Amino acid sequence: MAQQIYQIDTWLQPYASTIDWRHNRAIQRIEDLKSEYGGLSKFADAYKYYGLHNENGSWVLREHAPNAISITIVGDFNGWQESEEYEMKRLLGGDWELFFPENTIKHGDKFKMRVRWNGGEGDRIPSYATRVVQDNKSYVFDAQAWNTEDYKWEDSGFVVSKGPKLIYEAHIGMSGEQEGVATYDDFRRNVLPHVVEMGYNVLQLMAIQEHPYYGSFGYHVSNFFAPSSRFGTPEELKRLIDEAHKKGVAVIMDIVHSHAVKNENEGISKLDGTTDLYFHYGDKGNHPAWDSRCFNYGKDETQRFLLSNCKYWIEEFHFDGFRFDGVTSMLYFDHGLGRDFTSYQDYFACNEDDDAILYLMLANCLIHEVKPGSITIAEEMSGFPGIAGKFEAGGIGFDYRLSMGVPDYWIKLIKETPDEQWPVGKIFYELQQHRPEELTINYAESHDQALVGDKTIIFRLIDKDMYTDMNCDSQNLIVDRGIALHKMIRMITLFTASGGYLTFMGNEFGHPEWIDFPREGNEWSYKYARRQWSLAHADYLRYHYLLDFEKAMIELFRDVPSPSYPYRYYDYDGSQVVAFGRGDYILVFNFSPTNSYTDYAIPVPKGRYNIVLSTDEGRFGGFDRNDMFFVFYSENHEGKDIIHLYLPARSALVLKRRDLVHIR
């Protein structure tokens, strides 16, 4: 029997009965689904039944709308006028069905459901719609008949690589350099090769599920089964994923199951006239901070809808897993708003939504059953115990937790603490800490820090001087500081990661602009909703130094084993030096802005070493103050093996322990 999470973390022992109850509840639910449907995976086959399907050349539409008294389909095929032959038939259990008359609806036709209920009516898009498009003139969204069965996959044999996940977070629409919305094909041709060249092994795609407001970054979803048509066709998304797999890159989706848009004409809110078909009733069904609808995870309809959604994206589009957005909001009835989680009691205060916890357990079990080796990541900021604990150990079952406190820590440090007071011991502690039962994804910054209203690390460090002094010939101490710290921050964040590392598209080279989607306040401009890749490849600008360093850093990290810190050593004399080991590698950081150290003693395992990477190399915009070919021999000093290093101010080194023959 697996060691339970409360045996791994003894602080959880007072809550063992609650943890066991939740686990047993999930086990029982899976058993019940096996009896009733044939298993969890069969229960999640709802997308194969509901929605519009082409079955043997004929189109059939099915919908679950128990409160409706009639549903008629209107669309291009009938001039958007109601007629008897397009009325859906009511089935048992609140389901509706329509077999379209032969040769009426065809691929590409747009349509909607005209739903009537006691006291009202409205045009609706099917809840399981797999293709939704927006009219360029009226801006109205419609469902669209789309037959995707002709796509031939070429990624057979692809397996998600084991070991640390190096994640490239990306948004398709803003991935182009031109002002406008880039497409799946644009990304496949222009950005995917960059991801591969940089050495990332996981591509995380944002804003894939259809959403009515482009500026929501895809987090206000309206149509959960429809890939956003802003970026192209379903086949073009499949081609992108196919190509990524052929290049050895896994693709995961930023999935939103924490809430849904309130929109009724575009989304699933009030689909059959009721507010609680998939959501909680009354105020409980409205998110007070996000102005959106909150799912009722205890309802069979909701569980089946969302679990089916997970399976759909894996089976139909070959996604390799998900980063679940807004998990904190799901876990607590108050969504964790305005609360500091300072003790274990805060996680067991009868404020937890046990139905949401059950759903997340089921989702993780399903995903790993449908696609063994798949990746699940929880965006969870309260520190809820067991989120990334194994299901069989009483955990929720995610593979990784996103280390959301890390970027917050960097922002606070840069904003509030002078360089000469940076506490390297605290930095190391914050970066490598995680719950004993969990693996984490470290990141210095993501899309959140790049949005208008916030700042990226490079912008916090250099600010307005980015506009004038990023050319290689400039002499600017502010820029020198920013370039140096940008590399050091990213490197120590990466090499202290227990499970993986994430960066957002463009941050790897210090993209100079914030993200601001088209809106009334900027006159609907796309100027800041894009990525200026040309800056990273201009030899006369310093951005390419950061890009080249990121590539070298990622390439080295891929050869580094899982973390071990037996040689931890930091700031024993106020020097602002931190050193730690990872396998045969020793990493040494000198965060002092003014003090360079000669013959600085670092404890190491016995052997000889040479530098394999330095942030101070000239090819990365540094000053070449270290001899990259020098061999360091350990020597015994008072019973400890040490090496003596020259540590330039604001620089970091990676050394590798060698055998007696090979040095480089």
Side-chain angles (χ1 to χ4, degrees):
M1 182 177 179
Q3 190 178 24
Q4 298 300 289
I5 60 172
Y6 50 75
Q7 295 172 320
I8 300 170
D9 182 355
T10 56
W11 289 94
L12 286 172
Q13 288 183 0
Y15 313 103
S17 61
T18 300
I19 293 169
D20 286 341
W21 175 81
R22 289 170 176 165
H23 179 72
N24 292 332
R25 187 184 184 212
I27 293 292
Q28 186 60 55
R29 179 61 171 157
I30 293 172
E31 287 298 314
D32 291 344
L33 293 175
K34 184 176 181 180
S35 298
E36 187 173 355
Y37 293 92
L40 178 61
S41 183
K42 291 290 186 182
F43 179 64
D45 278 340
Y47 76 89
K48 298 177 181 179
Y49 178 77
Y50 295 111
L52 181 68
H53 298 278
N54 193 314
E55 299 180 354
N56 301 316
S58 299
W59 293 87
V60 58
L61 175 67
R62 300 184 186 94
E63 184 60 68
H64 182 66
N67 188 58
I69 58 175
S70 72
I71 303 178
T72 305
I73 307 305
V74 295
D76 291 336
F77 41 83
N78 61 7
W80 297 87
Q81 300 299 314
E82 295 183 65
S83 59
E84 185 175 338
E85 60 183 337
Y86 291 102
E87 289 182 2
M88 298 188 77
K89 177 183 178 182
R90 189 180 185 102
L91 307 177
L92 295 175
D95 289 346
W96 297 77
E97 182 180 72
L98 171 65
F99 285 92
F100 283 84
E102 190 174 356
N103 299 322
T104 54
I105 188 171
K106 62 183 183 299
H107 176 80
D109 279 352
K110 292 184 287 186
F111 69 96
K112 276 185 175 176
M113 305 185 304
R114 187 152 294 161
V115 184
R116 289 185 172 84
W117 55 86
N118 287 323
E121 65 176 75
D123 284 355
R124 298 290 186 265
I125 291 174
S127 57
Y128 285 78
T130 57
R131 174 73 173 170
V132 176
V133 295
Q134 185 178 29
D135 185 85
N136 292 329
K137 295 181 179 179
S138 67
Y139 302 110
V140 170
F141 284 87
D142 298 303
Q144 188 175 36
W146 202 264
N147 193 350
T148 62
E149 295 179 359
D150 292 337
Y151 186 82
K152 305 299 181 185
W153 289 92
E154 299 177 2
D155 64 349
S156 61
F158 174 77
V159 178
V160 177
S161 63
K162 296 181 179 179
K165 302 301 183 283
L166 299 163
I167 303 172
Y168 197 82
E169 182 187 39
H171 184 281
I172 298 291
M174 60 170 290
S175 65
E177 182 143 3
Q178 301 301 315
E179 295 184 27
V181 179
T183 66
Y184 299 121
D185 277 350
D186 293 334
F187 191 96
R188 176 177 54 83
R189 288 191 296 262
N190 302 320
V191 184
L192 180 59
H194 170 77
V195 175
V196 174
E197 183 181 359
M198 293 298 292
Y200 287 92
N201 57 20
V202 179
L203 175 63
Q204 178 180 308
L205 295 179
M206 308 173 64
I208 295 300
Q209 294 168 294
E210 191 61 85
H211 46 289
Y213 178 45
Y214 187 49
S216 75
F217 235 138
Y219 291 121
H220 274 206
V221 173
S222 52
N223 311 105
F224 287 76
F225 293 82
S228 180
S229 59
R230 287 184 180 88
F231 313 139
T233 67
E235 290 83 3
E236 288 164 348
L237 173 58
K238 291 180 178 182
R239 194 171 297 118
L240 164 57
I241 297 170
D242 214 357
E243 187 69 20
H245 285 169
K246 287 188 285 185
K247 294 181 181 297
V249 176
V251 186
I252 64 175
M253 191 173 86
D254 205 342
I255 200 167
V256 183
H257 284 179
S258 49
H259 64 135
V261 294
K262 283 186 173 180
N263 304 42
E264 297 172 3
N265 292 333
E266 294 89 5
I268 59 174
S269 181
K270 210 175 177 182
L271 184 136
D272 67 352
T274 61
T275 58
D276 59 347
L277 176 57
Y278 295 108
F279 308 104
H280 283 293
Y281 180 78
D283 290 341
K284 193 176 179 181
N286 296 312
H287 200 293
W290 297 344
D291 191 32
S292 55
R293 303 303 315 281
C294 299
F295 285 108
N296 182 350
Y297 302 100
K299 296 190 69 174
D300 280 1
E301 292 97 332
T302 306
Q303 282 188 12
R304 198 174 189 198
F305 180 80
L306 295 177
L307 290 171
S308 182
N309 193 235
C310 294
K311 187 174 182 180
Y312 166 78
W313 291 109
I314 292 173
E315 291 202 329
E316 293 297 311
F317 288 87
H318 290 203
F319 275 101
D320 302 296
F322 306 96
R323 178 259 200 196
F324 276 72
D325 180 70
V327 171
T328 303
S329 178
M330 300 171 69
L331 292 174
Y332 306 101
F333 289 122
D334 65 2
H335 310 294
L337 297 172
R339 290 209 295 136
D340 295 324
F341 294 85
T342 57
S343 73
Y344 276 65
Q345 179 59 40
D346 293 332
Y347 305 117
F348 299 91
C350 298
N351 180 45
E352 309 85 54
D353 186 342
D354 282 317
D355 289 335
I357 293 171
L358 171 63
Y359 165 69
L360 291 171
M361 286 180 167
L362 296 177
N364 276 286
C365 288
L366 171 73
I367 292 163
H368 292 107
E369 176 187 341
V370 173
K371 193 164 193 174
S374 55
I375 305 164
T376 58
I377 304 170
E379 190 225 21
E380 205 289 298
M381 60 189 302
S382 76
F384 190 87
I387 275 290
K390 295 184 182 302
F391 174 73
E392 58 268 25
I396 306 299
F398 284 97
D399 298 304
Y400 306 96
R401 180 202 294 273
L402 207 58
S403 286
M404 301 184 70
V406 170
D408 291 343
Y409 179 74
W410 282 124
I411 291 170
K412 183 177 176 64
L413 189 67
I414 294 169
K415 285 175 61 177
E416 300 179 4
T417 307
D419 292 14
E420 60 271 14
Q421 295 178 18
W422 279 23
V424 294
K426 180 103 164 50
I427 290 173
F428 181 80
Y429 171 78
E430 290 289 342
L431 295 180
Q432 60 84 42
Q433 69 158 331
H434 58 88
R435 293 196 177 280
E437 76 274 12
E438 296 181 342
L439 295 175
T440 58
I441 302 295
N442 268 18
Y443 63 108
E445 52 190 347
S446 68
H447 71 275
D448 285 327
Q449 287 72 45
L451 289 166
V452 164
D454 207 335
K455 290 183 179 180
T456 59
I457 285 175
I458 198 70
F459 225 107
R460 289 187 183 279
L461 294 170
I462 301 178
D463 206 72
K464 66 181 185 301
D465 291 63
M466 292 196 73
Y467 294 113
T468 57
D469 290 321
M470 283 297 282
N471 54 303
C472 294
D473 295 331
S474 67
Q475 301 291 319
N476 187 311
L477 294 177
I478 293 175
V479 174
D480 290 343
R481 168 184 178 264
I483 295 289
L485 286 178
H486 191 271
K487 291 179 288 186
M488 294 180 70
I489 287 170
R490 295 174 76 81
M491 188 161 88
I492 196 170
T493 302
L494 168 62
F495 278 88
T496 51
S498 66
Y501 172 79
L502 176 145
T503 192
F504 175 67
M505 175 178 68
N507 286 356
E508 70 273 19
F509 66 85
H511 196 282
E513 301 288 7
W514 53 83
I515 299 167
D516 190 12
F517 284 97
R519 56 186 173 85
E520 188 175 0
N522 64 17
E523 298 181 349
W524 304 104
S525 170
Y526 286 89
K527 182 177 181 180
Y528 297 111
R530 60 191 180 110
R531 298 283 88 177
Q532 299 180 62
W533 301 103
S534 58
L535 296 176
H537 301 289
D539 291 341
Y540 61 91
L541 295 176
R542 297 196 194 197
Y543 298 103
H544 79 86
Y545 292 140
L546 300 179
L547 184 73
D548 294 342
F549 177 76
E550 181 95 358
K551 180 180 178 181
M553 179 181 76
I554 294 294
E555 181 180 5
L556 177 62
F557 184 82
R558 292 183 71 145
D559 293 329
V560 172
S562 297
S564 59
Y565 305 117
Y567 328 121
R568 254 187 327 218
Y569 176 84
Y570 46 78
D571 201 25
Y572 78 103
D573 57 1
S575 59
Q576 291 187 281
V577 172
V578 57
F580 57 91
R582 191 158 176 149
D584 286 333
Y585 293 88
I586 304 294
L587 294 98
V588 188
F589 295 78
N590 177 14
F591 278 100
S592 173
T594 55
N595 297 327
S596 297
Y597 302 105
T598 303
D599 292 333
Y600 197 99
I602 298 291
V604 295
K606 186 176 181 179
R608 60 179 182 173
Y609 297 79
N610 71 299
I611 301 171
V612 293
L613 183 65
S614 169
T615 61
D616 196 49
E617 293 180 61
R619 62 185 175 133
F620 305 136
F623 299 99
D624 277 329
R625 290 171 288 181
N626 280 104
D627 183 351
M628 297 294 292
F629 296 96
F630 190 83
V631 180
F632 301 88
Y633 291 84
S634 66
E635 56 186 82
N636 190 274
H637 179 72
E638 297 181 353
K640 293 182 178 180
D641 290 302
I642 61 172
I643 56 175
H644 289 95
L645 300 173
Y646 173 55
L647 303 179
R650 273 201 197 111
S651 70
L653 303 172
V654 183
L655 300 102
K656 186 173 184 181
R657 183 174 180 267
R658 304 289 184 175
D659 60 30
L660 296 177
V661 178
H662 298 100
I663 299 301
R664 288 188 73 85

